[in-house]
Amino acid sequence: MKEEFMREAILLSLVNVRQKGGGPFGAVIVRAGKIIARGWNQVTGTNDPTAHAEVVAIRKACKKLKTFKLDGCEIYTSCEPCPMCLSAIYWAHLDRVYYANTQADAARIDFDDQFIYRELSRPILRRKLPMQPLLRAEALKVFAEWKAKADKIEY
């Protein structure tokens, strides 16, 4: 069954390329041996830089299951997840990731995420994207209120 799910993710990536829908990436989310959500890269079609295949599939699965936690689910993706998608996978609490193409394969077709990995490992003040703290004391008050909130939904 695993190969069938991966073939579906790969097929989604191929269809997307041929229909000029976006980049060559597809993903499916599986629960209890059934596909519950499909996603494909929609960055250029929706003008949404976060609309990667994995994120699209996660959004659809969460909507379908009416939850923000996808424990009990696995994701099959046509390419090793980029840093953003990998973070989304962790936040969604998916149980396992299966991928076909690697980061190196993606870099060879000009989808190179190494600059993000390098940037994340640098101290904030040495990153290319300027980052500056502002109004931390005010924002910390909100964090304190959240921490003390008795009826919060943890994630």
Side-chain angles (χ1 to χ4, degrees):
M1 287 299 284
K2 291 177 187 173
E3 289 82 7
E4 288 179 37
F5 298 139
M6 184 58 75
R7 284 188 182 101
E8 179 68 13
I10 294 168
L11 178 62
L12 290 169
S13 71
L14 178 63
V15 169
N16 205 39
V17 167
R18 290 181 176 170
Q19 293 181 351
K20 299 179 184 175
F25 306 99
V28 297
I29 295 180
V30 174
R31 184 176 191 189
K34 294 185 180 183
I35 295 175
I36 61 164
R38 290 172 171 79
W40 50 90
N41 184 286
Q42 299 177 28
V43 171
T44 58
T46 62
N47 294 318
D48 179 354
T50 69
H52 290 202
E54 298 91 336
V55 173
V56 171
I58 288 168
R59 289 173 181 162
K60 288 179 179 180
C62 288
K63 186 174 183 178
K64 181 174 184 171
L65 298 177
K66 296 180 172 75
T67 184
F68 55 87
K69 286 189 177 182
L70 296 175
D71 43 345
C73 298
E74 300 173 332
I75 189 165
Y76 292 77
T77 179
S78 65
C79 187
E80 185 176 354
C82 75
M84 177 186 70
C85 293
L86 185 58
S87 296
I89 289 165
Y90 273 105
W91 279 113
H93 300 275
L94 286 151
D95 291 354
R96 185 178 300 266
V97 178
Y98 295 96
Y99 63 92
N101 292 316
T102 67
Q103 286 180 39
D105 297 331
R108 282 191 286 279
I109 63 164
D110 301 322
F111 287 94
D112 191 354
D113 300 325
Q114 287 306 308
F115 77 97
I116 297 173
Y117 288 110
R118 281 191 302 274
E119 284 290 295
L120 291 174
S121 69
R122 290 184 174 143
I124 288 176
L125 295 176
R126 294 193 57 222
R127 293 181 184 165
K128 292 182 182 180
L129 180 63
M131 296 177 69
Q132 178 180 344
L134 186 62
L135 299 177
R136 180 172 178 238
E138 290 180 34
L140 281 173
K141 291 175 187 174
V142 179
F143 272 18
E145 188 170 325
W146 170 259
K147 177 90 172 150
K149 188 174 173 63
D151 62 344
K152 65 184 169 224
I153 298 173
E154 305 251 359
Y155 62 97

